[in-house]
C-alpha cells in the first residue's frame, strides 16, 4: 500500500516531469529531419579529426545551393543538410570537402518535400489511431466492470497515461536534439509507436488484475475498499513489470553502446520511454483510478 498511500507525491512528480518535457518542446522544439521536411542529408566522417564547422561551411559555400546546414555528428563526423540535390551537386559537395581532408561518406539521404509532408501526416494519424483503438478495446474488455469506475473510465485513464508516456520521451529528445544537433526522423516515430504498445501492455496487466479482484469480490461478497483492491493488484504485478522493464533496458543499453549510430537515437528514446512507462504503470495509472472513483461517487 506504499504507492497508494503516497500517490500524491507520485502525481506531483508526474506533473514536474510533464512540465519539464512540455517546456523543452516549447523552448527548443523538435527539429524535423528530411523524412518530414524533404531535402538531402549527407553524413561524412573525418577519420583524422573533424575541421571547424565554419571552415566546412566556407568550403561548401562556393557551390550555389542556397541555405546549407552543417552540424557536428558523433565525434569526428558532420551532417550536411540542404535542399534536394541532384547527383552532380552531391558529388560536387563531397569532392569539395574531401579536397583538404580525408573523408568517408557514411550516408546520403534525399527525400522530396511532398513525400516528407505525407509522411508527417501519416505519422500523426498513426499515433491517434493507435490511441483510439486502445480506448475502444479497453472499454470493451472492461464492459462488465462498471463500479466504482465505468468501463470507459479505464480507457480514458490509459490514454491520459499514454499521452504522458510519449510526451516525456519527446521532451527528452527535444533537449537531446538541442545539445547534440540530432533531428527527428522516421525512427523517432517508430519509437513512439513501439512505446505505445509496450506501455499499454504494462498498464493493462495491472488493470486486468484489478478487474479480476473486483469480479471475485462481487462474486463471493467480500467487502473491500477500492484502494485496497488497487494496492493489492499493484503488489501482485509489480515484480513482473520491473523484471520486464529490466530485460528491455538491458537490450536497449546494448543497442546504444554496441549498435549502429543510425539506431542509437531510437534506442535512447525507447530507453527513456520504457523507464517512464514502467513508472507510469506502477505509480500513476492504477492510483489515478482512486480520485476518478471518488469523483464518480460524488456524481
Amino acid at each position: 500500500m506504499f504507492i497508494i498511500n503516497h500517490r500524491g507525491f507520485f502525481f506531483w512528480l508526474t506533473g514536474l516531469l510533464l512540465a519539464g518535457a512540455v517546456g523543452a518542446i516549447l523552448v527548443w522544439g523538435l527539429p524535423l529531419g528530411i523524412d518530414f521536411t524533404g531535402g538531402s542529408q549527407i553524413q561524412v566522417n573525418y577519420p583524422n579529426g573533424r575541421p571547424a564547422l565554419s571552415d566546412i561551411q566556407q568550403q561548401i559555400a562556393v557551390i550555389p545551393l542556397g541555405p546549407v546546414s552543417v552540424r557536428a555528428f558523433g565525434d569526428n563526423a558532420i551532417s550536411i543538410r540542404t535542399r534536394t540535390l541532384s547527383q552532380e551537386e552531391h558529388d560536387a559537395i563531397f569532392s569539395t570537402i574531401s579536397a583538404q581532408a580525408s573523408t568517408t561518406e557514411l550516408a546520403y539521404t534525399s527525400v522530396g518535400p511532398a513525400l516528407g509532408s505525407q509522411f508527417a501526416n501519416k505519422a500523426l494519424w498513426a499515433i491517434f489511431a493507435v490511441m483510439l483503438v486502445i480506448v475502444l478495446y479497453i472499454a470493451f474488455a472492461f464492459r462488465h466492470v462498471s463500479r466504482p469506475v465505468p468501463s470507459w473510465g479505464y480507457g480514458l485513464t490509459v490514454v491520459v497515461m499514454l499521452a504522458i508516456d510519449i510526451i516525456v520521451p519527446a521532451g527528452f529528445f527535444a533537449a537531446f536534439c538541442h545539445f547534440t544537433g540530432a533531428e527527428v526522423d522516421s525512427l523517432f516515430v517508430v519509437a513512439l509507436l513501439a512505446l505505445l504498445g509496450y506501455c499499454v501492455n504494462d498498464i493493462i496487466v495491472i488493470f486486468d488484475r484489478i478487474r479480476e479482484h473486483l469480479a471475485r469480490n462481487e462474486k463471493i461478497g467480500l467487502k473491500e475498499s477500492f484502494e485496497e483492491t488497487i494496492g493489492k493488484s499493484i503488489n501482485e504485478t509489480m515484480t513482473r513489470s520491473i523484471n520486464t522493464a529490466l530485460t528491455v533496458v538491458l537490450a536497449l543499453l546494448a543497442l546504444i553502446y554496441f549498435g549502429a549510430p543510425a539506431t542509437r537515437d531510437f534506442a535512447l528514446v525507447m530507453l527513456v520511454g520504457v523507464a517512464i512507462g514502467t513508472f507510469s504503470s506502477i505509480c500513476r495509472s492504477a492510483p489515478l483510478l482512486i480520485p476518478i472513483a471518488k469523483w464518480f461517487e460524488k456524481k
Side-chain angles (χ1 to χ4, degrees):
M1 295 294 289
F2 173 82
I3 294 175
I4 299 300
N5 294 335
H6 296 84
R7 61 182 181 273
F9 166 77
F10 294 115
F11 291 162
W12 275 105
L13 181 58
T14 298
L16 292 175
L17 290 173
L18 185 60
V22 172
I25 295 173
L26 293 177
V27 173
W28 294 317
L30 286 167
L32 299 179
I34 63 172
D35 289 345
F36 298 94
T37 61
S40 295
Q41 184 178 40
I42 308 172
Q43 294 177 353
V44 179
N45 183 53
Y46 288 84
N48 299 325
R50 180 177 57 211
L53 296 181
S54 57
D55 294 340
I56 301 174
Q57 189 87 42
Q58 291 177 1
Q59 294 172 11
I60 300 175
V62 300
I63 306 172
L65 299 173
V68 177
S69 171
V70 179
R71 295 186 176 183
F73 177 74
D75 295 331
N76 291 312
I78 60 169
S79 174
I80 304 170
R81 181 175 169 182
T82 71
R83 59 169 172 78
T84 305
L85 299 174
S86 65
Q87 186 61 45
E88 292 75 14
E89 290 171 330
H90 163 263
D91 294 341
I93 291 176
F94 189 70
S95 298
T96 300
I97 62 177
S98 302
Q100 305 193 17
S102 175
T103 59
T104 303
E105 186 174 34
L106 300 177
Y108 172 57
T109 307
S110 185
V111 178
L115 181 61
S117 176
Q118 183 181 22
F119 182 82
N121 291 333
K122 287 185 176 181
L124 291 175
W125 277 111
I127 293 175
F128 287 133
V130 168
M131 287 191 168
L132 176 61
V133 171
I134 288 171
V135 172
L136 296 176
Y137 166 75
I138 294 178
F140 175 79
F142 284 75
R143 64 191 183 279
H144 298 305
V145 181
S146 58
R147 291 179 300 178
V149 177
S151 59
W152 59 266
Y154 290 92
L156 183 61
T157 302
V158 170
V159 168
V160 172
M161 291 299 101
L162 289 180
I164 297 174
D165 291 342
I166 64 174
I167 289 175
V168 173
F172 160 80
F173 197 65
F176 179 77
C177 290
H178 175 74
F179 291 107
T180 64
E183 293 180 334
V184 174
D185 57 9
S186 57
L187 283 180
F188 176 77
V189 178
V190 173
L192 294 186
L193 291 174
L195 285 174
L196 287 176
Y198 175 86
C199 294
V200 73
N201 175 71
D202 220 20
I203 296 172
I204 286 180
V205 168
I206 299 178
F207 278 17
D208 202 50
R209 187 58 59 89
I210 295 173
R211 180 181 62 172
E212 291 175 358
H213 283 306
L214 290 174
R216 189 192 64 180
N217 292 348
E218 184 175 355
K219 182 178 180 180
I220 65 177
L222 177 63
K223 299 294 183 180
E224 183 179 64
S225 69
F226 193 46
E227 293 187 13
E228 291 176 338
T229 301
I230 291 179
K232 182 165 53 177
S233 300
I234 292 175
N235 291 336
E236 291 173 352
T237 57
M238 185 185 303
T239 301
R240 177 262 181 201
S241 296
I242 293 176
N243 288 340
T244 301
L246 286 176
T247 56
V248 176
V249 165
L250 290 175
L252 292 173
L253 288 175
L255 191 60
I256 291 171
Y257 286 104
F258 305 111
T263 60
R264 194 161 296 157
D265 294 351
F266 165 82
L268 279 172
V269 175
M270 284 291 297
L271 182 64
V272 175
V274 168
I276 293 298
T278 304
F279 170 75
S280 173
S281 62
I282 296 175
C283 302
R284 287 198 311 250
S285 303
L288 186 61
L289 293 173
I290 296 173
I292 293 176
K294 291 180 178 179
W295 184 82
F296 278 108
E297 288 176 359
K298 292 180 181 179
K299 299 291 287 186

